[in-house]
Amino acid sequence: MSDAQAPDFSKGCAYVRGQYVPIAQASIPITDLGFLHSDATYDVVTVWDGAFFRLDAHLERFARSCQRWRLAPGVDDAQITAILSECVRRSGLRASYVEMLCTRGQTPWGSRDPRQAVNQFYAFAVPFVWLANEQQRATGLHMRISHVQRIPAASVDPTTKNYHWNDMTMGLLDALDDGADTAVLVDDKDHVVEGPGFNVFCVHAGQLITPDQGMLEGITRRTVIEIAQSLGLQVQVRPVSTTEFRAADEAFISSSGGGVLPVTRVDGKNVADGAIGPVSRKLSDTYWAWHQSPAMSLPIAY
Ligand code: PLP
């Protein structure tokens, strides 16, 4: 194939039905229940400086999510690693957002029995996606505490990745309409739980506090807790009321989409003095420093 005909993977590469295709050409059948019923699971791992960060943890969570939702991706960890690496390699991206998905797939025509569906594995790598833009990272996010409750754990297990995101999207739309940058959802007891793509933390009198239930067990949340412990900070994993969150000395979100991202305003009011606090800064700096650890990163052979 001449260069003129070579597919352009520079904007991202997807793995679809056994083929690697440029991201703009990646599609799934419209009758895949992953699309029609949000009947799918997924995980997102990042590539920074040409290396996956904590891929093992993401693979382990993906396997757990698949098991929880009775989905069989038909590929093992080694095969997934090879597919994800190939998506990144073809794209040439050194900083990438890499997603693996398993959808329910299609049932035989006329069947309503999900057990008869043929589950599908998909993957893609695109340029790194930040949860906060450069200016928001510099000054901190403005968060709205949403009136929307996160879907209860008794209905959809939030500890495993799912696409039940209408609550998140409605909360986010309200927040943006109100001039905030993002939203955190609550539970039925007025505790903050999580937001669209992130976990939440606050700092009170030097102690780090993060919710213990009603949310995804984020890999970044786990990393932040490990960092805090390595720095000798006290960590409390327990319910966090909206009142406590508003009164925090510091607040931040954690996500693969940028690590530790400070929140400096909540519902139009400053968090403490409205500046990014020292604990958030230290945790963020250490989060990026940990990307250099060979134990946590897997370099990609481009
Ligand atoms: N909560 C939800 C609902 C998410 O979708 C995500 C990430 O996508 C997170 C929390 C943070 O998880 P992680 O740190 O593994 O990116």
Side-chain angles (χ1 to χ4, degrees):
M1 194 184 275
S2 74
D3 274 359
Q5 294 165 311
D8 177 10
F9 290 113
S10 62
K11 293 194 170 55
C13 171
Y15 175 82
V16 177
R17 291 178 290 283
Q19 305 282 326
Y20 294 95
V21 294
I23 193 71
Q25 290 167 26
S27 64
I28 64 164
I30 200 166
T31 52
D32 187 318
L33 293 167
F35 173 68
L36 292 178
H37 292 176
S38 303
D39 189 352
T41 194
Y42 70 110
D43 215 291
V44 175
V45 58
T46 56
V47 166
W48 199 253
D49 280 344
F52 288 111
F53 184 60
R54 305 202 85 167
L55 178 60
D56 299 359
H58 288 277
L59 289 174
E60 184 271 323
R61 186 173 63 183
F62 182 63
R64 196 155 40 84
S65 301
C66 287
Q67 208 174 21
R68 179 73 182 81
W69 305 126
R70 298 175 63 178
L71 292 163
V75 275
D76 62 22
D77 283 2
Q79 289 167 309
I80 297 175
T81 302
I83 292 167
L84 300 184
S85 303
E86 185 60 15
C87 286
V88 180
R89 192 192 69 75
R90 288 195 187 213
S91 72
L93 293 165
R94 309 282 307 175
S96 178
Y97 173 106
V98 185
E99 182 154 339
M100 61 200 98
L101 304 93
C102 184
T103 65
R104 186 71 61 196
Q106 294 163 296
T107 48
W109 182 244
S111 167
R112 307 271 304 170
D113 183 344
R115 293 171 302 183
Q116 293 178 347
V118 182
N119 303 165
Q120 298 292 326
F121 177 79
Y122 299 100
F124 63 86
V126 290
F128 189 83
V129 180
W130 288 93
L131 231 74
N133 64 33
E134 216 174 323
Q135 192 247 314
Q136 291 164 344
R137 297 201 297 277
T139 57
L141 286 157
H142 177 194
M143 175 179 276
R144 184 181 198 270
I145 299 185
S146 186
H147 302 299
V148 180
Q149 276 180 26
R150 183 69 172 127
I151 194 167
S155 300
V156 176
D157 178 359
T159 64
T160 40
K161 282 249 191 200
N162 61 73
Y163 281 126
H164 294 266
W165 264 52
N166 293 54
D167 49 4
M168 300 280 207
T169 305
M170 292 303 117
L172 182 57
L173 284 170
D174 287 348
L176 295 171
D177 287 349
D178 264 15
D181 301 318
T182 192
V184 63
L185 271 55
V186 292
D187 67 11
D188 59 347
K189 297 183 186 64
D190 205 36
H191 297 129
V192 294
V193 284
E194 64 181 345
F198 57 82
N199 293 110
V200 286
F201 284 82
C202 60
V203 179
H204 273 277
Q207 303 228 343
L208 199 58
I209 311 163
T210 192
D212 60 339
Q213 52 187 301
M215 73 308 135
L216 181 75
E217 292 171 353
I219 306 299
T220 320
R221 171 178 175 274
R222 187 196 303 178
T223 306
V224 168
I225 292 171
E226 289 170 7
I227 292 172
Q229 287 164 343
S230 79
L231 296 172
L233 276 170
Q234 298 273 343
V235 185
Q236 295 180 26
V237 181
R238 58 159 174 79
V240 180
S241 72
T242 56
T243 312
E244 184 175 26
F245 194 75
R246 285 180 211 282
D249 298 331
E250 295 183 37
F252 62 86
I253 63 175
S254 71
S255 170
S256 297
V260 173
L261 298 165
V263 172
T264 48
R265 268 195 301 162
V266 173
D267 292 340
K269 297 205 176 73
N270 282 346
V271 175
D273 64 0
I276 296 174
V279 176
S280 308
R281 277 198 199 283
K282 182 74 187 161
L283 292 169
S284 175
D285 291 349
T286 315
Y287 172 79
W288 290 109
W290 278 25
H291 281 63
Q292 304 306 318
S293 154
M296 294 198 186
S297 63
L298 178 70
I300 287 149
Y302 287 91

